[in-house]
Amino acid sequence: QVQLVESGGGLVQPGGSLRLSCAASGSFFSIGSMGWYRQAPGKQRELVATITSGSSTTYADSVKGRFTISRDNAKNTVYLQMNSLKPEDTAVYYCNTPDARVQVNVWRNYWGQGTQVTVSK
């Protein structure tokens, strides 16, 4: 099994920055793609950014140019650097890996527990 543990959320003023981290632990052969999603109150969960094991990235249009996703494969950790934060970025941010290889021919999808990001004066 795989556990994803997020950290780094908190309260920040508009225009500020935060860095989220998500570390994968447990029993697995490898972690494939990783990503960040977010869910604001009353809204559906939405994709923020993804990164493949080869470090190819994708971003939601709403965060392009402000957020940067990266990963450290040796540490099985993914990061989300968030700059120029806006009130509309307020949400619970979730870490995800859709293809953790847990057995020789078994890949599974895992989610973290989420970390709150609040952007407010």
Side-chain angles (χ1 to χ4, degrees):
Q1 299 302 314
V2 177
Q3 294 80 43
L4 299 177
V5 179
E6 301 105 332
S7 61
L11 173 64
V12 64
Q13 292 188 350
S17 297
L18 282 175
R19 188 192 194 208
L20 305 183
S21 299
C22 171
S25 63
S27 177
F28 53 88
F29 287 96
S30 64
I31 299 293
S33 296
M34 301 186 80
W36 290 96
Y37 291 72
R38 67 187 182 187
Q39 187 167 19
K43 294 188 177 181
Q44 290 188 332
R45 190 173 298 189
E46 63 176 2
L47 173 69
V48 176
T50 64
I51 186 166
T52 67
S53 56
S55 295
S56 294
T57 59
T58 61
Y59 295 93
D61 288 343
S62 59
V63 307
K64 282 181 181 177
R66 299 188 298 122
F67 291 10
T68 302
I69 189 170
S70 61
R71 65 189 290 167
D72 184 333
N73 289 331
K75 296 181 179 179
N76 293 309
T77 299
V78 63
Y79 306 97
L80 185 68
Q81 178 66 43
M82 305 185 293
N83 299 328
S84 302
L85 282 161
K86 304 176 181 180
E88 51 263 44
D89 294 318
T90 296
V92 178
Y93 284 70
Y94 296 91
C95 177
N96 169 256
T97 178
D99 52 0
R101 190 179 185 187
V102 296
Q103 297 180 33
V104 174
N105 293 310
V106 178
W107 286 261
R108 288 186 177 153
N109 182 43
Y110 292 93
W111 291 90
Q113 81 287 352
T115 185
Q116 177 70 46
V117 172
T118 302
V119 185
S120 175
K121 295 181 179 179

